[in-house]
Amino acid sequence: MRAPMRLFLASLCLLTLLAPAHAAPLAAPPPLHVQPWDGRTWILREDLQATWEAPFLYLLVGRRRALLIDTGDVADPARMPLAAEVLARLPKDGPARLPLLVVHTHGHLDHRAGDAQFHGLPGVEVVPSDLAHVRRFFGFAAWPDGLAQVDLGDRIVDVLPAPGHHPAELVFYDRATGLLFSGDFLLPGRILVDDLAAYQASAARVAAFAKDRPITAVLGGHIEMDRTGALFPWASTVHPEERPLPLGKAELLALPAALQRFNGFYTARDGFVVENPIRNLAAGAGALLLALGLLGILVVRTIRRWRRRRSRP
Ligand SMILES: [Zn+2]
């Protein structure tokens, strides 16, 4: 168990001990938080106690069908009743519910583990998150160039390729609300670079798209920062003073320059931090090997000196 989790449980025990005998026990948080943005848009978030990734998912309802962007980190419906919560919000068309299209910002498991809950449901189509399926479904003949649309019925959602964090990353723009759903491409936390050249090109394309459009908010896949801009420890299950999710057009337009300035390891900016986890890991491993090498030399020298002293008459 990780230290923050132990601290959190210890505080819970202390609170229980201090509470009056007749007070009700502390209720566990629901595994899924569902927040309406408006009457036909919902922001869903998996609770930190259900998964430290605590990803955000988005449900958009049009006149003819609905769109779910990402399915989160938990497959088991007993632990995370995602499909039930989503289906319950779909308007009924006679006895049937509105059809649902399930898509992904990208294929990392914490954004698609819930797919299993939707497979085989009537009226539900799940688009697989690998590049071949994404290209074919949205018709991106010259990936990563091009722009696709999903028509939900009086509600158009633009779809933009945005590889760099993941090879099949997508960004979605809802014309009805002006919301841009950015997954891990841009979020208040760690911008994890996998392919820097692809990321830089994607950031330039998305910024050019957004420049002359109204952007109400940029909603990413996670929150990893507190209100002072400090990052929470990796895999933390408590987020004290967590900052709000939305980033703005300013951060979106600043992303290309931040990626150009990226030193290959770590670059911080208001609202997000750019990192290359593989390089950081390699640099950490290199530093560790160097330290071990120096320690080895020190030990050998000390032993030699000690032997020399012992061998003196
Ligand atoms: Zn990711």
Side-chain angles (χ1 to χ4, degrees):
M1 192 184 291
R2 290 182 174 84
M5 187 62 185
R6 273 203 302 269
L7 193 62
F8 177 68
L9 288 177
S11 356
L12 274 185
C13 292
L14 191 63
L15 280 173
T16 313
L17 284 175
L18 293 177
H22 60 271
L26 288 170
L32 186 66
H33 305 271
V34 185
Q35 186 77 36
W37 178 270
D38 58 26
R40 50 186 197 149
T41 310
W42 285 268
I43 299 173
L44 300 88
R45 187 192 197 184
E46 295 186 340
D47 190 81
L48 274 166
Q49 298 306 304
T51 161
W52 63 265
E53 295 277 11
F56 286 86
L57 331 170
Y58 302 98
L59 177 63
L60 284 61
V61 172
R63 205 165 46 78
R64 285 200 313 274
R65 60 176 166 167
L67 182 72
L68 177 66
I69 301 174
D70 285 348
T71 61
D73 194 32
V74 184
D76 182 0
R79 286 183 53 222
M80 182 63 63
L82 175 64
E85 291 281 355
V86 167
L87 295 182
R89 281 164 180 81
L90 300 185
K92 285 198 168 165
D93 182 13
R97 296 184 194 282
L98 215 59
L100 174 70
L101 179 67
V102 179
V103 298
H104 308 89
T105 55
H106 63 298
H108 287 152
L109 191 61
D110 54 315
H111 297 260
R112 65 172 168 83
D115 282 12
Q117 297 188 25
F118 295 92
H119 287 143
L121 292 180
V124 177
E125 183 180 6
V126 180
V127 181
S129 55
D130 62 282
L131 184 56
H133 280 95
V134 165
R135 285 187 64 164
R136 195 176 320 139
F137 180 83
F138 292 103
F140 289 118
W143 178 274
D145 291 326
L147 179 66
Q149 278 85 35
V150 176
D151 186 354
L152 304 177
D154 289 340
R155 189 171 192 177
I156 305 277
V157 176
D158 292 301
V159 187
L160 293 90
H165 168 73
H166 182 276
E169 185 108 12
L170 296 171
V171 163
F172 299 86
Y173 175 71
D174 176 31
R175 296 183 193 177
T177 57
L179 294 174
L180 189 122
F181 304 102
S182 54
D184 290 0
F185 169 77
L186 179 57
L187 72 161
R190 300 172 179 84
I191 306 293
L192 299 178
V193 176
D194 178 50
D195 180 337
L196 182 58
Y199 221 137
Q200 287 169 334
S202 295
R205 276 194 318 274
V206 176
F209 170 88
K211 192 164 67 71
D212 299 321
R213 287 176 169 84
I215 304 289
T216 310
V218 177
L219 302 179
H222 311 269
I223 301 174
E224 298 173 349
M225 284 180 161
D226 67 15
R227 288 178 183 275
T228 69
L231 287 169
F232 296 118
W234 188 252
S236 172
T237 57
V238 282
H239 283 187
E241 292 295 310
E242 186 182 75
R243 62 151 286 159
L245 172 66
L247 290 172
K249 191 171 185 171
E251 284 92 352
L252 187 64
L253 298 185
L255 185 58
L259 287 166
Q260 290 298 335
R261 279 200 313 273
F262 181 48
N263 60 14
F265 294 92
Y266 182 96
T267 299
R269 200 203 166 276
D270 270 359
F272 58 87
V273 167
V274 186
E275 289 185 13
N276 184 321
I278 303 298
R279 278 201 189 178
N280 288 349
L281 207 63
L288 187 67
L289 283 175
L290 186 66
L292 286 173
L294 290 173
L295 189 67
I297 292 170
L298 197 69
V299 169
V300 169
R301 282 188 178 173
T302 307
I303 291 172
R304 278 184 187 158
R305 210 173 298 152
W306 178 71
R307 278 182 180 160
R308 250 181 264 137
R309 268 191 210 153
R310 281 196 67 196
S311 60
R312 275 181 200 155

